[in-house]
């Protein structure tokens, strides 16, 4: 997924905040609140894991797309966009994963 697609999707997700929950799935998620959005992220994460365990490439891609989509909804609900995540990934690029986690402190050790 290119950063252009992510940016365009982020714009649509932001616009859905003002949409009618009866006519927009995303507006319905926003109206249901953070817990409902987080539940969807969790469900999609589990479905992605199960697809990977089964080794079905098509399902892996589909479920990962669902996971990314709902994660983007969660980011938007929190006032964040995909660029913040891309910036963080760029910051980490080239760093040892172990060193990067250690630099974040105790919370990172649980990741």
């Amino acid at each position: 997924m290119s950063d252009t697609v992510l940016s365009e999707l982020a714009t649509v997700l932001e616009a859905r905040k003002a949409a009618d929950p009866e006519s927009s799935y995303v507006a319905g998620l926003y109206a249901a609140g953070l817990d409902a959005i987080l539940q969807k992220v969790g469900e999609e994460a589990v479905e992605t894991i199960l697809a990977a365990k089964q080794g079905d490439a098509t399902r892996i891609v589909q479920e990962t797309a669902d996971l990314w989509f709902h994660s983007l909804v969660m980011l938007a609900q929190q006032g964040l966009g995909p660029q913040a995540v891309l910036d963080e990934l760029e910051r980490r690029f080239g760093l040892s994963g172990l060193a990067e986690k250690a630099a974040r402190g105790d919370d990172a050790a649980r990741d």
Side-chain angles (χ1 to χ4, degrees), residues 54-73:
Q54 294 170 356
D56 182 336
T58 300
R59 277 203 59 232
I60 292 168
V61 170
Q62 292 169 337
E63 296 301 344
T64 301
D66 289 346
L67 176 58
W68 287 12
F69 177 83
H70 288 89
S71 294
L72 290 169
V73 172

Side-chain angles (χ1 to χ4, degrees), residues 41-104:
V41 172
E43 288 172 9
E44 299 304 342
V46 169
E47 290 172 5
T48 301
I49 291 166
L50 292 174
K53 291 280 287 175
Q54 294 170 356
D56 182 336
T58 300
R59 277 203 59 232
I60 292 168
V61 170
Q62 292 169 337
E63 296 301 344
T64 301
D66 289 346
L67 176 58
W68 287 12
F69 177 83
H70 288 89
S71 294
L72 290 169
V73 172
M74 180 268 305
L75 286 170
Q77 192 275 341
Q78 295 290 305
L80 299 166
Q83 191 60 50
V85 177
L86 293 172
D87 290 346
E88 177 62 12
L89 289 171
E90 184 175 6
R91 182 191 71 77
R92 294 179 186 187
F93 190 76
L95 297 177
S96 156
L98 296 174
E100 193 282 324
K101 277 188 168 188
R104 285 191 276 161

